[in-house]
Amino acid sequence: MAELSLRQIEDRLNAEFAGEGRRLIFWYDDRGDFSEDIGALELACAKVYRLEPDNQFYTKYFLERVDRETSYLVYAPFPKPDAEDNHLEDTLLYSKRFYADRAALLCADLGIGEEHRWLIEKHSRLFNNKKFVQRFYNLEIDRFDTETILTGLLCAACQTRACSFDEVVCALLMEDLERNPCLEKLYAQGLADTFWEFCGQQFGYTEEAPSLERFVTALFVTCTDRYMHGGLPEAWRPFLTSRPGSVVAFMDNLMNSAVCRGRFDQLSAYVSKELGAAAALAACPPELLLNCDTFLDVDRVLIRWLVDRLLAEDVGARLDGSSIPEICGRRSRLHFGTQTETAYRLLENAHRLVLSAGYSGPDSFAGIAEQYLAGDYLIDQAYRKFYLCYDRMDGPEVFEPLRELVENIYTAEYLAGQLPRWNGGMLEPEALAVLPRQRDFYRRFVKSTGERTVVIISDAMRYEVGRELFEKLRDEPRCASAKLEAMLGVLPSYTHLGMASLLPHSTLEMTETYQVLADGKRCDDMESRQKILLSGCPEGVCVRFDDIKTLKKESLREILTGKQVVYVYHNQIDARGETAQTENEVFVACEEAVREIMALIQRISINGNTYRFLITADHGFIYKREKLAESDKISGVGGKGGFVNRRFIVSGEPVTGGGIQNFPLGWFLDNGESRSVSVPLGGNVFQAPGGLNYVHGGSSPQEMLIPVLDIKMERGHVETKAAELSLISIVRKITNLLTTLDFLQTEPVSDTVKPAVYKIFFLSERGERISNENIHAADSREPEAQRRIFRLRFTFKNQRYHRDQQYYLVVCDAATGAEIFRHSVIMDLAAADDFGFGF
């Protein structure tokens, strides 16, 4: 701020005298600094009257009897006399005082009343700093009382964006606790006592020798106590504060802030270590911790409890009425869910697998197939997802006993109970008619298509993976319709025979050298499959997924133009599973396959003017993590010259021996083939080269039930999402009729993030609009998040607000009116409703 000058005084006085009506303004210049200059003042609407110590009574007579029309600046080059010695005291009551020092000018500029001038004078050293003054101005405080002025001083010292004590606390907590630059600055500027006093008023933290470390500990302990409903460890009770509601609201804002949530985690870890939280919380009843979200140790305690319950096969266990899956889902959505989600997902899937202990199913083939498609597939899916999570854990040792239980249930109970029934049911005369057959795929789904159709054949995509893909595609905004069916695959369920079954053909056969022919033509590579497809559809083409996945729009359209049917061969799962070094990555490959197929469908539908897609597979698979024992391998079987695979044998004579099921090959080829297909009755394998964890070719629901997804995408729809907003100001209490808040556009506008316009305002719990409405266009393309921060100003109604009522910051989509989010605040406007006297 510039030095005080006569011109500034003149401008200020002219502003005071402007307007209609007579005005009297008294200026007591205590030291007479302007006594010689007073005659040079040029007042547009008033005259200068010089008051002397001995002419007060005459002055009163002059102003109230002689000249009652003219406005006067009454200048006194001496201090104001005490009331009992001042003849003009009553005149002053209906007049105005003028001050011509730095504090006075600042008070006048900001609208700070005379009653608070002492605060500005007390901290005059701070206001000699131009940068500090500018930061104080930038806070845009519209109502001044002792609290808001002191809060403004703290905010200017800590360089916060808004006038809020919560922002001050947040600024301090973002720095190192032991050597805190922000707190050191407050001590140096004489504001530390004010800060600690406010900590007592706002949060109830009062200590004779306060410290930032103990303050933070008090915040976490008080917040924890609120969630534990009185079950707090006894040693922590001295840290409790007297204002738990304010503490919980602040901590909630801190942990949910896009800017501060990472620091919250660091502070939580610090307090946890100082308190020995791991041991203290482990001694607490787990039901007291269910809703507590202040320490990661809480999740560690609950996870251990869940593991113990599952190891005891207590699948009905509950905490505070919540089941194990409900507990996992709830904890995953809390603050530390970003760190614990994988563990809770592992436990959810383990729970489903433990539920299947003692598995029993129908004996009829139709019943087995029906039950599998209705729900048993989820057991295979849970097993897959369990290991996905297990392999992603940094320290899976705590889950090792649970993994052993899961493995035993899946292998020794589920597969061992299901597969013999399946194979027994396959011998039923009508078994092959229970489900549509893979051999009829082209005729049923492709032959009569009236629009260009892309057929994606994902090698080894078993039914449960296809089901997951179906559910994800069904939820896509661009998906117009989605259907899922299951086909019964061929036996043996391996690539050459499965791929041939999906092509147009009348006959399938296996030569003496075990080569598969469709209509007498080989079909074991891309070129031969292309020829067979063309025989059924002259406007057809076969391509590899890897050859088109990164093609530009023009190149992609060249392949599709003029084609009616496009077969795309995708090989992610089988390629990984068939190699001994990578077979343990087969479940990861399933996840990648789902993502790749979804991405391909989006690219083709957007860039290739193609909207119908069929997704299917040649066969499924069985994968078991535990290495097979020698007793699980069937050796010494297979006639000379037979086709021996880990899961099947094709030979001229049925294979004899225990644990083996024989089927006529002609059943599946629909011909007079006399050779037999021999398969393990359960999940065992034949002694043959290759890996042992990942297998296919045999007879099981996992290998033979083939998904068929029929997907139609919307035309002319480009997948985008609206740019989103996030509140970054730490605000739980509104103390000014004029308040500024900072927001962040979370992502820059791009090809996939479209601009959006939002209406932002405040509402009462009754739906009454209590502020102005800001309209903001979220259209920034700035890559740096800092450049996408923007400030909005809100003016609140000057009315009475109640602390026991709810008020909300609301963000709505301007185009649709849909509410995007709301944030609860406390309205603490003491000056509202007739300038603060609303009582």
Side-chain angles (χ1 to χ4, degrees):
M1 188 165 65
E3 291 298 319
L4 193 65
S5 68
L6 191 64
R7 180 61 56 195
Q8 285 178 288
I9 294 173
E10 187 176 278
D11 290 343
R12 178 63 63 187
L13 287 168
N14 277 320
E16 294 286 351
F17 281 113
E20 298 181 359
R22 185 192 190 213
R23 288 176 173 79
L24 298 178
I25 297 177
F26 285 78
W27 178 6
Y28 287 96
D29 182 8
D30 292 3
R31 296 189 302 270
D33 292 338
F34 292 90
S35 180
E36 296 181 1
D37 301 317
I38 193 67
L41 281 178
E42 297 181 3
L43 302 181
C45 304
K47 295 180 180 180
V48 176
Y49 182 97
R50 191 178 183 100
L51 180 67
E52 299 295 344
D54 58 357
N55 72 346
Q56 293 183 56
F57 186 79
Y58 175 78
T59 299
K60 181 178 180 66
Y61 168 75
F62 176 81
L63 294 175
E64 297 186 0
R65 290 288 185 271
V66 177
D67 187 353
R68 302 170 63 180
E69 303 296 329
T70 306
S71 295
Y72 283 98
L73 168 67
V74 182
Y75 173 77
F78 52 83
K80 175 183 173 297
D82 294 334
E84 61 268 19
D85 299 324
N86 189 5
H87 294 291
L88 295 167
E89 192 69 31
D90 57 342
T91 306
L92 281 167
L93 294 176
Y94 66 84
S95 303
K96 191 171 184 178
R97 290 279 302 272
F98 177 76
Y99 301 89
D101 53 24
R102 182 174 297 281
L105 191 60
L106 184 67
C107 289
D109 281 346
L110 292 173
I112 298 175
E114 168 65 16
E115 68 274 18
H116 300 301
R117 181 181 171 204
W118 66 274
L119 267 177
I120 307 302
E121 292 176 337
K122 178 180 178 181
H123 296 283
S124 59
R125 185 168 63 89
L126 297 178
F127 288 103
N128 287 329
N129 185 312
K130 294 181 180 180
K131 290 183 178 180
F132 183 93
V133 173
Q134 188 61 52
R135 291 199 297 268
F136 190 85
Y137 267 81
N138 290 344
L139 294 171
E140 299 181 339
I141 304 170
D142 75 320
R143 175 181 63 84
F144 289 96
D145 55 25
T146 302
E147 181 180 343
T148 57
I149 293 172
L150 290 174
T151 301
L153 295 176
L154 293 170
C155 290
C158 294
Q159 302 183 37
T160 70
R161 289 175 168 268
C163 186
S164 163
F165 184 65
D166 283 0
E167 292 273 2
V168 173
V169 176
C170 185
L172 266 69
L173 297 188
M174 294 296 284
E175 304 286 350
D176 182 75
L177 295 182
E178 295 183 4
R179 293 186 176 182
N180 191 279
C182 200
L183 186 59
E184 290 173 359
K185 191 182 299 182
L186 293 182
Y187 274 104
Q189 295 177 345
L191 293 170
D193 288 344
T194 299
F195 171 76
W196 292 121
E197 181 182 349
F198 274 31
C199 286
Q201 294 173 2
Q202 300 273 10
F203 301 112
Y205 171 73
T206 55
E207 288 190 321
E208 290 186 7
S211 71
L212 208 53
E213 297 96 322
R214 290 183 64 83
F215 173 55
V216 170
T217 302
L219 292 179
F220 274 89
V221 169
T222 302
C223 190
T224 301
D225 182 62
R226 174 60 64 93
Y227 291 119
M228 292 183 65
H229 305 293
L232 194 73
E234 198 62 34
W236 296 6
R237 292 195 172 277
F239 289 100
L240 287 174
T241 75
S242 60
R243 300 291 299 275
S246 298
V247 170
V248 171
F250 172 78
M251 295 291 278
D252 184 64
N253 286 330
L254 189 69
M255 72 167 66
N256 293 320
S257 164
V259 175
C260 302
R261 63 167 60 103
R263 181 56 177 162
F264 177 91
D265 293 354
Q266 295 173 354
L267 293 172
S268 174
Y270 165 80
V271 174
S272 173
K273 182 179 179 181
E274 293 297 309
L275 293 175
L281 293 173
C284 296
E287 56 268 17
L288 293 180
L289 304 177
L290 190 58
N291 298 310
C292 185
D293 201 22
T294 47
F295 300 110
L296 187 58
D297 300 283
V298 171
D299 288 288
R300 296 188 178 109
V301 172
L302 291 175
I303 286 169
R304 281 193 292 269
W305 182 86
L306 291 167
V307 169
D308 289 343
R309 291 300 86 219
L310 290 172
L311 287 174
E313 300 188 32
D314 183 8
V315 292
R318 290 180 174 271
L319 284 179
D320 195 27
S322 296
S323 66
I324 289 177
E326 289 169 343
I327 295 169
C328 293
R330 181 188 302 185
R331 296 301 304 182
S332 296
R333 292 188 294 271
L334 295 182
H335 173 74
F336 288 105
T338 54
Q339 300 179 50
T340 61
E341 182 183 11
T342 300
Y344 284 118
R345 284 180 59 203
L346 179 149
L347 292 168
E348 282 183 283
N349 287 291
H351 178 264
R352 179 174 290 279
L353 286 157
V354 175
L355 274 173
S356 67
Y359 174 86
S360 63
D363 291 324
S364 71
F365 187 77
I368 297 168
E370 181 180 2
Q371 180 168 301
Y372 186 85
L373 299 176
D376 280 357
Y377 74 90
L378 290 169
I379 300 173
D380 294 302
Q381 192 172 87
Y383 182 79
R384 171 168 63 89
K385 292 184 176 294
F386 174 88
Y387 272 110
L388 277 171
C389 297
Y390 183 86
D391 291 341
R392 290 170 183 165
M393 297 297 298
D394 290 334
E397 295 80 11
V398 67
F399 299 107
E400 179 58 24
L402 184 59
R403 188 200 70 79
E404 293 176 359
L405 175 63
V406 161
E407 191 67 33
N408 183 64
I409 291 173
Y410 183 74
T411 302
E413 300 188 37
Y414 171 61
L415 291 181
Q418 181 191 68
L419 269 55
R421 287 185 172 90
W422 172 271
N423 282 291
M426 284 275 286
L427 294 174
E428 296 172 7
E430 301 299 322
L432 299 189
V434 167
L435 293 171
R437 296 179 63 181
Q438 187 181 32
R439 282 202 55 189
D440 297 326
F441 170 78
Y442 184 86
R443 177 183 60 80
R444 293 183 68 242
F445 294 100
V446 184
K447 185 176 181 179
S448 301
T449 182
E451 59 183 310
R452 181 159 57 220
T453 300
V454 172
V455 179
I456 303 173
I457 303 172
S458 184
D459 202 330
M461 186 179 70
R462 67 184 184 183
Y463 179 82
E464 60 91 2
V465 179
R467 181 77 180 227
E468 180 177 329
L469 174 60
F470 163 74
E471 290 169 355
K472 289 181 180 294
L473 285 170
R474 183 183 56 189
D475 293 337
E476 277 289 308
R478 294 188 55 249
C479 182
S481 68
K483 299 177 183 178
L484 173 65
E485 293 186 35
M487 302 185 297
L488 182 64
V490 290
L491 191 66
S493 54
Y494 77 117
T495 299
H496 290 321
L497 192 53
M499 291 295 185
S501 298
L502 297 170
L503 291 167
H505 67 274
S506 297
T507 63
L508 284 180
E509 60 183 296
M510 184 180 288
T511 69
E512 293 300 319
T513 57
Y514 306 105
Q515 185 178 51
V516 176
L517 304 179
D519 292 342
K521 302 172 185 175
R522 69 181 187 87
C523 50
D524 51 5
D525 56 28
M526 188 68 66
E527 291 72 25
S528 59
R529 292 172 190 165
Q530 168 85 19
K531 292 177 182 178
I532 294 175
L533 178 61
L534 288 173
S535 68
C537 178
E539 296 81 27
V541 65
C542 293
V543 295
R544 293 180 181 85
F545 169 82
D546 290 342
D547 292 338
I548 66 167
K549 65 180 179 180
T550 58
L551 287 182
K552 294 182 179 179
K553 180 189 295 186
E554 294 75 13
S555 300
L556 184 61
R557 287 187 172 180
E558 285 180 10
I559 292 175
L560 298 172
T561 299
K563 301 298 187 293
Q564 183 71 7
V565 176
V566 180
Y567 270 45
V568 178
Y569 290 93
H570 174 262
N571 189 13
Q572 177 70 263
I573 300 170
D574 203 55
R576 203 85 64 92
E578 286 284 10
T579 304
Q581 291 78 11
T582 60
E583 64 174 348
N584 281 354
E585 301 172 14
V586 69
F587 286 165
V588 175
C590 292
E591 298 280 301
E592 293 175 1
V594 169
R595 289 196 298 269
E596 288 178 350
I597 292 171
M598 289 185 68
L600 180 66
I601 290 173
Q602 291 173 356
R603 287 189 65 245
I604 292 177
S605 63
I606 293 171
N607 299 324
N609 295 326
T610 303
Y611 308 102
R612 186 184 183 226
F613 299 85
L614 294 169
I615 305 102
T616 190
D618 52 348
H619 57 77
F621 67 90
I622 288 178
Y623 172 89
K624 295 180 291 186
R625 175 59 62 91
E626 203 73 20
K627 295 295 183 183
L628 291 181
E630 287 301 316
S631 59
D632 295 321
K633 302 174 187 176
I634 303 173
S635 59
V637 297
K640 185 177 181 181
F643 184 3
V644 180
N645 186 279
R646 283 166 289 167
R647 283 285 291 167
F648 69 88
I649 295 174
V650 178
S651 60
E653 297 293 334
V655 175
T656 59
I660 298 173
Q661 183 75 59
N662 294 288
F663 299 98
L665 181 59
W667 278 18
F668 303 97
L669 301 184
D670 289 324
N671 58 25
E673 175 67 60
S674 61
R675 284 174 291 180
S676 292
V677 183
S678 302
V679 297
L681 192 59
N684 296 348
V685 298
F686 293 118
Q687 190 76 48
L692 294 175
N693 290 51
Y694 169 88
V695 293
H696 64 85
S699 176
S700 68
Q702 294 77 12
E703 296 163 286
M704 293 188 67
L705 288 179
I706 310 300
V708 181
L709 287 71
D710 193 339
I711 306 296
K712 289 189 178 181
M713 305 296 285
E714 288 184 357
R715 298 174 181 268
H717 184 103
V718 177
E719 179 57 33
T720 59
K721 66 176 181 178
E724 297 176 348
L725 303 184
S726 173
L727 174 67
I728 62 173
S729 293
I730 302 295
V731 57
R732 63 179 179 84
K733 183 186 291 186
I734 301 296
T735 58
N736 291 314
L737 286 173
L738 182 64
T739 295
T740 55
L741 299 175
D742 289 325
F743 297 80
L744 170 68
Q745 180 183 320
T746 56
E747 294 179 276
V749 170
S750 65
D751 291 339
T752 57
V753 179
K754 63 181 181 181
V757 178
Y758 295 100
K759 295 180 179 179
I760 308 170
F761 49 86
F762 284 80
L763 284 178
S764 71
E765 64 183 11
R766 298 187 303 273
E768 175 192 8
R769 191 77 62 90
I770 61 171
S771 78
N772 64 305
E773 179 183 272
N774 282 289
I775 298 179
H776 179 77
D779 55 5
S780 173
R781 295 181 178 272
E782 289 288 346
E784 293 183 29
Q786 193 68 26
R787 294 180 177 271
R788 298 195 303 275
I789 294 176
F790 60 95
R791 173 174 289 184
L792 296 179
R793 189 173 185 173
F794 298 89
T795 302
F796 293 90
K797 290 182 179 179
N798 191 1
Q799 64 183 36
R800 186 175 182 179
Y801 296 95
H802 302 273
R803 289 194 178 193
D804 59 347
Q805 292 184 6
Q806 293 290 315
Y807 299 90
Y808 303 96
L809 169 69
V810 178
V811 178
C812 288
D813 188 305
T816 65
E819 183 175 313
I820 306 303
F821 72 82
R822 63 171 52 200
H823 174 80
S824 178
V825 297
I826 297 170
M827 298 298 292
D828 188 19
L829 293 173
D833 188 23
D834 198 19
F835 300 96
F837 302 101
F839 52 82

